[in-house]
Amino acid sequence: MPHAQQFEPEEFAPAPARSRRSWDPVVKITHWSIVTAIIANALITEEGSGAHIWVGYALAAVFALRLLWGLIGPAEARFSAFPPSLRRAVGHLRDIRVGRKEIHRSHNPLGALMVYAIWCVLGLIIASGIAMAGPPSGALPGSADQAGEVSRHLVAEQDDDEEEDEVKGAEGSESMWEEVHETSVNLLYILIALHIAGTVFETRRSGREILLAMLPGRA
Ligand code: HEM
Ligand code: HEM
């Protein structure tokens, strides 16, 4: 496939015109939608509320779209354009140290590791969130029905003494998912800080192209 060759991850492209990075609309829209959903669930919605869970499902859908795009999207958006490779990442660090600028049409090898790390942690957050919340109930965010659904899963209050053991088991797995959710959210915050620092660093090193390519209005 001629395209795949054009976007080899370690490609060198001395001509400035070829160095221009560009992301298709799906990559841009999924990036900024994921950012918006994370900000909403981290700062705006109440933890475990109907709104939090619905934002969570929207996040899961957008994330699934991006993963699908990694298989069927344009060359630079595909997983094959930015394979996770420690060897390449070390090579990239060496390039930075000696001031060598290699051109990458997709994520650079260090950025690729960060992208996969963010995606893995997002996967954990979504899986643990869904494990606690259950499948969508069809009720509107914040409605009594939805709240009831959530509290049924989260609090698992049971009056019946005979079911006490079962409830203890449910609470045990709940708190496990709660733990996974909370820990991975904290890990995500660290990765986001590193990602933004990396973007700023790379923008200073290689030019504003890096940032502009992810903003709207650039084909
Ligand atoms: C990246 C986006 C998300 C962020 C930043 C986030 C953040 C949080 C935080 C900080 C908590 C409190 C954890 C604790 O102290 O126990 C929480 C709880 C919860 N989250 Fe998320 N969350 C996100 C995505 C999701 C998703 C995708 C779902 C499900 C679809 C979800 C469902 C829940 C539920 C049900 C709780 C309640 C757990 C409890 O009551 O302890 N969250 N979330
Ligand atoms: C919640 C915060 C954020 C998360 C979770 C996040 C996550 C990601 C992910 C997963 C990618 C890979 C995109 C893909 O291939 O689909 C990416 C790329 C990118 N992000 Fe973010 N991002 C966040 C915030 C930001 C912010 C605030 C900026 C602007 C300073 C930014 C700038 C970029 C840029 C420029 C790229 C492309 C990097 C490259 O060319 O290799 N991100 N981000």
Side-chain angles (χ1 to χ4, degrees), residues 21-23 26-28 30-32 34-39 63 66-67 69 76-79 82 104-108 111-112 114-119 122 188-189 191-193 195-197 199-200 202-203 208-215:
R21 189 170 300 190
S22 81
W23 297 108
V26 173
V27 169
K28 291 185 196 182
T30 53
H31 178 264
W32 293 111
I34 287 173
V35 172
T36 307
I38 291 173
I39 291 173
F63 181 47
R66 176 58 185 100
L67 293 185
W69 208 236
E76 70 277 3
R78 292 194 188 193
F79 304 127
F82 56 103
H104 303 272
R105 293 296 304 272
S106 188
H107 303 298
N108 72 45
M114 177 56 76
V115 170
Y116 288 111
I118 290 177
W119 282 346
L122 263 185
L188 181 69
Y189 295 156
L191 293 178
I192 290 171
H195 164 60
I196 293 174
T199 305
V200 170
E202 197 54 31
T203 301
R208 292 188 323 149
E209 276 301 321
I210 304 290
L211 185 59
L212 292 177
M214 194 47 92
L215 297 179

Side-chain angles (χ1 to χ4, degrees), residues 93-104:
L93 279 174
R94 211 176 302 122
D95 285 348
I96 292 175
R97 198 161 45 85
V98 300
R100 197 165 79 122
K101 288 179 190 162
E102 195 172 342
I103 305 302
H104 303 272

Side-chain angles (χ1 to χ4, degrees), residues 37-38 41-42 47-48 52-53 56-57 59 122 125-126 129-130 132-133 154 178 181-182 185 188-189:
I38 291 173
N41 267 4
E47 297 157 1
H52 184 91
I53 291 167
Y57 280 117
L59 168 70
L122 263 185
I125 293 172
I126 291 168
I130 291 176
M132 291 187 290
L154 300 180
E178 224 177 287
H181 200 69
E182 197 179 358
V185 165
L188 181 69
Y189 295 156

